[in-house]
Amino acid sequence: MKTASGYGGIRSSVIGAMAALTAIACAAPGSAWAQASAQPIKLAVSAIGRPPIFSNTFVDVGEAMGYWKASGVDVTFRWFQRGADTARAVVTGDVVIGFTATQPALNLIAGGAPVVVIAGMPNLDWIIATDDPEVKSCKDLKGKTVAADGINNARTLYIAAVVATCGLKQADLKLIDLANQPLVRAGIAGPVHSGVWHVDELAQVEFKTGKKWRIIEAPASIFKELHYAVLLTSRKAIAENREGLIRFLEAWILTQNLMGSKSPADRVAFATVAANASQIDFQVALASVSGYQAFNYWVNNDGLNEKQMMSQLEQLVMIGSVKADKKPAYKQIVDKSLYAEAMKRVTQKYGKLQ
């Protein structure tokens, strides 16, 4: 499949990037795709923001590039500040799809909620970073105030996993509930000196303050064996609106393909959308795109790596978030059939993804 841009040459300014974005929107998707989706299916979907965290800029990419409309879905996005809340909205039926961190989804499934994962982003982007001169390693976090995002939320569960590798417990830290844009503002203003960050959040703080934060390295196993985020839906929605879910995943596939594209032009176009959506400087957005792509943040597959998913589940058991006798099997966690059908349709229309 050709990358979604269809134009050449990198733009070195925001004005040039906007021109590139206009070209990309006009070029894709093709008329055959649009003609196949004359009757859109209405869907309510939950995401994290607003403004969105960087992974959730797929919402704006889909809108800017026309992917939602062209795939035959009329999507209303409902915004929450926590992944646990986007997941619970699926359980209550307020939305049919929720974009959430993997941990809240696994907690719900282990608790018996009739929900299932249909796609994902396997690779973590969490960074534990500090400007506290006393904190130079994981063990130095003992007794320190660290910004995370509350009990059973993704950042708190992540830092619990990391400090466990250096002999600490979550109770050894003074965790405060602060995440997303409030965390960024606090990092810039000065009250927060240690926290769990997304790549782009830390980039914003460093860009605005001109100060480099120290990254507390996590063991490689944390990144290789844990799972980051998922699209969650209910079994009821699959039974009643399977076609709508498949169409949504068609557009999701195209957003991930563009966001993961290493074409200079695609990077500029994506960074332009992300800067506008996230309300950050274009240079920060462009640097963040490259940073995320360095560890394959956006993948051209269903993102449901079994080893990572089950290792994430084991980690939740280890820290007490899931009871050992309540662990679901992999086949109880995922339904890969909808993504498979969506990818089949995309491939038929555009060829194999690159």
Side-chain angles (χ1 to χ4, degrees):
M1 173 180 178
K2 294 181 179 179
T3 54
S5 58
Y7 62 89
I10 186 166
R11 275 64 169 175
S12 59
S13 67
V14 177
I15 294 175
M18 289 304 296
L21 183 59
T22 300
I24 205 172
C26 291
S31 59
W33 178 287
Q35 290 170 5
S37 308
Q39 297 180 328
I41 297 175
K42 293 183 179 294
L43 297 175
V45 179
S46 60
I48 301 170
R50 190 109 177 130
I53 63 173
F54 218 83
S55 57
N56 283 225
T57 53
F58 75 86
V59 173
D60 299 273
V61 169
E63 179 66 26
M65 306 305 166
Y67 295 157
W68 307 121
K69 181 178 180 181
S71 66
V73 285
D74 179 1
V75 189
T76 299
F77 287 95
R78 298 179 182 173
W79 297 93
F80 298 84
Q81 284 302 310
R82 298 289 186 272
D85 295 328
T86 63
R88 281 192 289 268
V90 176
V91 178
T92 61
D94 290 336
V95 299
V96 294
I97 298 172
F99 183 85
T100 181
T102 305
Q103 299 102 318
L106 291 176
N107 281 333
L108 285 172
I109 294 169
V115 294
V116 66
V117 171
I118 58 174
M121 296 176 65
N123 299 319
L124 301 176
D125 83 318
W126 298 123
I127 299 172
I128 300 173
T130 182
D131 69 348
D132 184 338
E134 295 181 355
V135 180
K136 295 180 173 134
S137 69
C138 175
K139 290 184 178 180
D140 296 332
L141 289 168
K142 185 173 182 178
K144 295 294 184 178
T145 299
V146 182
D149 59 357
I151 297 172
N152 284 336
N153 282 295
R155 296 178 204 238
T156 299
L157 292 170
Y158 174 73
I159 199 168
V162 172
V163 299
T165 67
C166 66
L168 300 181
K169 297 180 180 178
Q170 183 175 314
D172 292 324
L173 284 61
K174 299 175 183 176
L175 297 181
I176 57 173
D177 186 353
L178 198 62
N180 303 329
Q181 283 303 306
L183 172 59
V184 172
R185 288 193 291 269
I188 293 171
V192 167
H193 296 283
S194 300
V196 183
W197 309 81
H198 287 295
V199 169
D200 61 294
E201 291 172 344
L202 185 59
Q204 290 176 59
V205 173
E206 291 183 335
F207 180 80
K208 289 293 187 181
T209 63
K211 180 170 56 177
K212 192 73 176 175
W213 286 49
R214 181 182 297 107
I215 295 174
I216 305 303
E217 297 294 340
S221 60
I222 293 288
F223 293 96
K224 291 179 180 178
E225 297 181 4
L226 300 185
H227 196 278
Y228 176 61
V230 296
L231 290 178
L232 190 70
T233 193
S234 67
R235 296 188 182 278
K236 179 181 179 183
I238 293 175
E240 296 179 354
N241 196 7
R242 186 179 185 88
E243 176 62 23
L245 297 177
I246 292 171
R247 291 187 188 184
F248 179 88
L249 287 172
E250 290 182 61
W252 163 267
I253 288 167
L254 292 178
T255 67
Q256 302 303 288
N257 186 58
L258 175 66
M259 295 162 84
S261 170
K262 293 185 178 180
S263 156
D266 284 349
R267 281 178 170 174
V268 170
F270 173 27
T272 302
V273 175
N276 183 58
S278 299
Q279 299 174 21
I280 61 177
D281 294 275
F282 173 77
Q283 295 92 332
V284 173
L286 188 59
S288 296
V289 170
S290 296
Y292 279 118
Q293 289 181 347
F295 59 89
N296 202 26
Y297 197 52
W298 298 284
V299 296
N300 282 330
N301 56 55
D302 62 23
L304 301 179
N305 182 284
E306 183 174 358
K307 180 179 179 181
Q308 284 176 279
M309 190 76 70
M310 299 312 290
S311 293
Q312 179 67 79
L313 182 60
E314 290 295 340
Q315 188 263 335
L316 293 176
V317 172
M318 181 185 71
I319 65 175
S321 184
V322 171
K323 294 182 179 179
D325 61 350
K326 298 295 184 182
K327 287 192 306 181
Y330 181 68
K331 65 181 181 180
Q332 295 173 294
I333 297 171
V334 305
D335 183 335
K336 298 166 73 76
S337 65
L338 289 91
Y339 185 97
E341 174 59 27
M343 179 60 84
K344 180 181 177 181
R345 295 183 186 184
V346 169
T347 302
Q348 288 174 340
K349 294 167 182 173
Y350 289 101
K352 187 177 181 180
L353 291 176
Q354 295 180 2

